[in-house]
Amino acid sequence: MGATKSHIFTTTQNELAQVAKVLAHPARIAILQHISKQEGCICTDLVEEIGLAQPTISQHLNEIKKIGLLKGTFEGKNLCYCIDQDRWLELKQLMNTFFSNITLNCC
Amino acid sequence: MGATKSHIFTTTQNELAQVAKVLAHPARIAILQHISKQEGCICTDLVEEIGLAQPTISQHLNEIKKIGLLKGTFEGKNLCYCIDQDRWLELKQLMNTFFSNITLNCC
DNA sequence: ATTTAACATCGTAATATTGCAATATATAAT
DNA sequence: ATTATATATTGCAATATTACGATGTTAAAT
């Protein structure tokens, strides 16, 4: 025991939870907001901006990447990437649908 | 180390992450969806519906309660509660604002 | 007053997350 | 080729989450 029992839930329920999990850390919220503030792709020092150690930032970026939210060049000296528009709108839609489908017919 | 460094982030960033954290489990998504399907307040067997043990469900309900999303009677034999409308709309708004404020000006 | 039913709490095991130092890798610059 | 710089990976410690059995609590029913 201790692990989430994903198999007893629907695909959508698991998907929603997975997206929420990525957003469930202030560092990842901050990273997304910071990328969004940039003009184009981000190539600057996210480590200084956020205030966590480099491996920690790298780890958080990986979580965001896992759900397909980042695209760009990931090799070489300068990492240049940005938010994947299509995926972002997809997830925004998913969240919005969830929030809208909860009907409040009580109290 | 191992604990989230909340103090280096803004109130909004922490708040968003906290809300997302509550949604970051399929059981809690399922619970919210199930309450929403009911006509009025929920007084039925959530344990059977979801398929997790009673203490586990109780724990998840507590997480949802912590961010003020449930209201109703919590004492006695029959637990009757529902989603707090004002709070729900507040959180929906918070999430929506976050998603809308991320601008996609790249690639 | 006892029993029963519904839910909460406690204790604990399994697993996941967070964070960072150390180290590896990969490219650009010299 | 060597050095410098940027990011990834590894390994590990601290903490948090998930799940449930056992037990406690509360109130209605008998």
Side-chain angles (χ1 to χ4, degrees), chain B residues 34-88:
Chain B
H34 185 252
I35 297 179
S36 152
K37 265 192 301 191
Q38 303 301 109
E39 266 308 309
C41 283
I42 189 179
C43 304
T44 64
D45 205 344
L46 207 46
V47 173
E48 272 191 20
E49 181 69 27
I50 307 290
L52 290 170
Q54 181 265 319
T56 309
I57 294 293
S58 189
Q59 218 169 221
H60 282 307
L61 279 171
N62 229 285
E63 295 300 312
I64 302 175
K65 216 163 78 184
K66 263 189 206 162
I67 55 163
L69 263 180
L70 295 180
K71 71 172 174 184
T73 315
F74 287 99
E75 312 111 65
K77 190 176 160 189
N78 282 296
L79 176 64
C80 285
Y81 54 87
C82 56
I83 299 169
D84 186 307
Q85 301 200 23
D86 293 344
R87 187 61 174 150
W88 181 257

